[in-house]
């Protein structure tokens, strides 16, 4: 793998930033706020930032780069797809519980729901993320979709995934802003108390985490090699799993593809360079 | 150009969304707020959202996709670089004036500066954007940088540009959230008055604008063809302008490159496939 040590350093940074973000969220609600509970009060609302940052930011971020881990390249592509889909399912479940916590808190306190820009964009993101997951499952995991459909959907899947990830981070930043203004006594945020600086730092950590994930996800030379995955498909009985090579995302084509033609998918690619291009180069 | 009509439709949508965003910002401050003035009061602050949305969102977005306009492919690459850099310079100038408006308003009203997450991320984005502009000018516009340096810097330039664009949009959304909470009388935002819904809609417009720009910018088949720009360089006397082909961004290699070798840059690329790959496929 080209640039292996840089990859390792960035992966370590991403994990550190992700863990730190979750830790900061926990310290925020446990030390500065009312803790965690499920009682309709502020402590129930506190599950909202904790679960969003854990699931919808950190777990989703890892799900995005899971194909890039070189140690997984000997695993079958199907296994990696299951891990990718599984992590994203965990992210969605945590996001939904986070939404329930916020709605439940609002309802107990007679605070209206869905009035803020944060809620408009956030709910849209959760719905689109669920749609993305269902479509991804139907097209890339179930064995029914023809290669041409996979080739058409893949660039959209990859682009949507990255933009949704960015949108989730933007929504989280809006949420932190809202909560700080509401929670700190009127005007107190502007005096930048310790809690304000702490949560601002949490926001910065999330942004840098997002940047590192997007960088790792869009480097072509860190892409899972086609050759190896095709060989593993051959070992798995020539299972047709589409143009999934680009299914995290990439900006370049794969240099190892010219000498592989093991199954009908590879043949279809060879016959149709357009399909190949769509599958290989589909993405951000 | 493959998918010409889709490109046209998306370009039309981007322009419409961008104009609508600027229009919404103007209607917001002129109809719902205190108008525009430079008097240290709220009307001076109002320049902040108007100039950020006009310059740092709309103009920057257009600067990103300017290489993709097929009508410009007959223009020299140098001209397109000057337009790209010029638009980004306009974006930066408007952003700086927007910052001055916010700081000046705060100082007149004895409101502290730089306490919010919005201000932390926003100022960081402006500084990094300025750095990006200076580095881009030095490496891609001035004739001194060797091809290898350009090839190294290009993927970073493109990635940083797109991530900064996304960060600016996220910061704008935080700013809209803050302003709505501060400006609407306490608790009134939660009753979602007309102004709240109007500005939420503005936020949604900005997000969709960003999505359309990023999609157009990352489609490989809408990339400025290498062959034509190389020919135009030849007409311009073989000016060395580096691996600028990917300098908006792309996820794929260019299919037209195999038969071009007009100048030292093309020769260098041919001798060094790595350089070529870095230049051509550098990007998101």
């Amino acid at each position: 793998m080209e640039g292996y040590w840089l990859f390792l350093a960035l992966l370590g940074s991403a994990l550190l930033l992700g863990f730190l973000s979750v830790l900061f969220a926990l310290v925020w609600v446990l030390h500065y706020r009312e803790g965690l509970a499920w009682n309709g009060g502020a402590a129930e609302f506190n599950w909202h930032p904790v679960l969003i940052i854990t699931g919808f930011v950190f777990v989703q971020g890892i799900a995005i780069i899971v194909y890039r881990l070189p140690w997984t390249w000997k695993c079958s592509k199907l296994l990696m797809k299951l891990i990718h889909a599984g992590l994203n399912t965990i992210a969605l479940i945590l996001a939904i519980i986070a939404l329930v916590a916020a709605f439940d808190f609002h309802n107990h306190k007679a605070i209206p729901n869905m009035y803020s820009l944060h809620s408009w964009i956030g709910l849209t993101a959760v719905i689109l993320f669920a749609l993305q997951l269902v479509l991804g499952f139907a097209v890339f995991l179930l064995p029914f979709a023809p290669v041409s459909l996979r080739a058409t959907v893949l660039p959209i899947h990859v682009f949507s995934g990255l933009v949704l990830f960015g949108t989730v981070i933007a929504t989280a930043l809006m949420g932190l802003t809202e909560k700080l203004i509401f929670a700190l006594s009127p005007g107190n945020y502007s005096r930048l108390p310790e809690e304000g600086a702490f949560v601002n730092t949490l926001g910065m950590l999330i942004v840098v985490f997002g940047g590192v994930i997007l960088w790792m996800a869009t480097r072509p030379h860190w892409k899972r090699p086609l050759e190896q995955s095709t060989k593993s498909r051959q070992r798995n009985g020539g299972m047709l799993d589409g143009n999934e090579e680009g299914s995290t995302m990439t900006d370049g084509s794969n240099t190892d593809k010219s000498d592989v033609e093991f199954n009908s998918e590879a043949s279809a690619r060879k016959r149709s360079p357009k399909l190949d291009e769509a599958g290989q180069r589909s993405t951000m």
Side-chain angles (χ1 to χ4, degrees), chain A residues 8 16 26 31 47 68 75 83 98 145 175 189 192 222 226 228 231 255 270:
Chain A
L8 272 193
L16 183 67
L26 282 170
H31 176 65
W47 281 110
R68 300 293 170 123
C75 304
I83 292 172
Y189 186 21
L192 197 58
W222 288 341
L226 176 59
Q228 280 177 262
K231 279 177 179 163
T255 51
K270 193 120 182 178

Side-chain angles (χ1 to χ4, degrees), chain A residues 29-49:
Chain A
V29 302
L30 294 174
H31 176 65
Y32 292 102
R33 295 278 119 219
E34 307 79 5
L36 292 166
W38 201 271
N39 56 8
E44 181 171 332
F45 175 84
N46 289 344
W47 281 110
H48 184 75

Side-chain angles (χ1 to χ4, degrees), chain A residues 215-270:
Chain A
W215 175 264
M216 293 175 73
T218 52
R219 291 315 93 194
H221 50 284
W222 288 341
K223 217 176 135 222
R224 181 183 164 102
L226 176 59
E227 188 185 20
Q228 280 177 262
S229 67
T230 309
K231 279 177 179 163
S232 73
R233 271 202 304 279
Q234 193 187 31
R235 283 197 298 276
N236 292 334
M239 181 195 69
L240 183 72
D241 60 354
N243 295 281
E244 75 291 353
E245 282 312 307
S247 57
T248 35
M249 70 285 330
T250 182
D251 61 339
S253 64
N254 197 298
T255 51
D256 295 335
K257 69 189 175 192
S258 58
D259 57 345
V260 291
E261 188 180 355
F262 290 109
N263 58 22
S264 61
E265 178 206 346
S267 314
R269 286 187 185 185
K270 193 120 182 178

